[in-house]
Amino acid sequence: MPWHGEGALLLLSGASGAADAFVFLCVGQVFAGVMTGNLVLLGASAAGAGEDGVALKVAVALGAYFCGVAAGALVTGRRGPRVRVLLGAEVVLLGAAAALWGLELVTSYGDRLGVLALVAVAMGVQGRVRVTPTNYFTGTLTSLAGRVALRELRGGDGWVLGRLAAVVAGAALAALAERWWSPGAALGAVVMAAGALVLETVPYRGGRPGPGKGKPRPDRGNPAGAV
């Protein structure tokens, strides 16, 4: 994959971290893209633990994420990936959430659920952009740790490590924004997703990729090799 393709994956990983941190800190104790964490929260809530109303937030996040993934699958269909279309939709969704939050139009519990739904749909769409995961990383980390232990590191593992670091950096950026300028807490995810879209529109050297060259490839850090 050309450098700008890998760069787009780094930016999407950062956008994922920023989106989840924004939702967790500002909407309240749930995630927009980490569905495993949401399932854990749902189980804890069913047992009477956690904050009031978490179960409803988790249900909204799960349903919205599902809809995002389904919509992304319908867009790609049998014609293969349409990366720019999916990224464009993600930027619009994240931008709408950032505008609502930044303009202080989120004034009720229902409004917060609406913002959560927008961001979760965006993360679901992002999950269909590439086979390489950019919004869930347990498999990536597991595979990388195994290769480190066995001393079987590959040439592309630097990019894998970079994606893991990008999640942390994106989350930190959103947290700092929430602390120092709360209306801008959602902007980091928008900017990084838009940056990924720009990189994905950069022509490949020698023209557009031929058949098969622009398709998603299995993640070097994903044990299953695919989503």
Side-chain angles (χ1 to χ4, degrees):
M1 178 180 289
W3 69 266
H4 42 77
E6 296 284 11
L9 294 179
L10 288 180
L11 287 171
L12 289 176
S13 299
S16 173
D20 269 321
F22 162 69
V23 166
F24 192 86
L25 295 172
C26 297
V27 176
Q29 308 302 304
V30 294
F31 300 101
V34 184
M35 292 301 112
T36 302
N38 281 338
L39 291 172
V40 171
L41 291 173
L42 184 61
S45 178
E51 294 185 353
D52 292 338
V54 168
L56 178 57
K57 293 176 185 177
V58 169
V60 169
L62 289 169
Y65 186 88
F66 182 93
C67 290
V69 173
L74 290 174
V75 169
T76 55
R78 296 182 178 179
R79 298 183 180 181
R82 298 179 180 178
V83 174
R84 283 172 288 183
V85 174
L86 295 178
L87 285 177
E90 179 182 355
V91 171
V92 170
L93 290 164
L94 292 176
L100 290 171
W101 184 259
L103 295 174
E104 299 183 349
L105 299 176
V106 181
T107 59
S108 68
Y109 183 77
D111 293 340
R112 289 178 182 271
L113 291 180
V115 169
L116 170 61
L118 285 172
V119 181
V121 171
M123 289 298 99
V125 170
Q126 180 175 311
R128 295 293 303 186
V129 170
R130 295 282 187 190
V131 170
T132 303
T134 57
N135 55 3
Y136 53 93
F137 295 91
T138 302
T140 300
L141 181 59
T142 300
S143 184
L144 180 62
R147 291 198 297 277
V148 169
L150 296 174
R151 299 181 182 179
E152 296 178 351
L153 289 174
R154 304 170 184 174
D157 280 334
W159 289 106
V160 175
L161 185 61
R163 290 200 298 277
L164 296 173
V167 178
V168 177
L173 177 64
L176 288 172
E178 191 278 331
R179 176 180 297 178
W180 297 109
W181 185 51
S182 183
L187 288 176
V190 182
V191 171
M192 285 183 275
L197 175 59
V198 171
L199 286 180
E200 288 288 358
T201 61
V202 174
Y204 289 79
R205 182 175 298 178
R208 295 186 179 276
K213 294 183 179 179
K215 296 181 180 179
R217 89 283 191 257
D219 190 310
R220 299 183 183 97
N222 185 356
V227 174

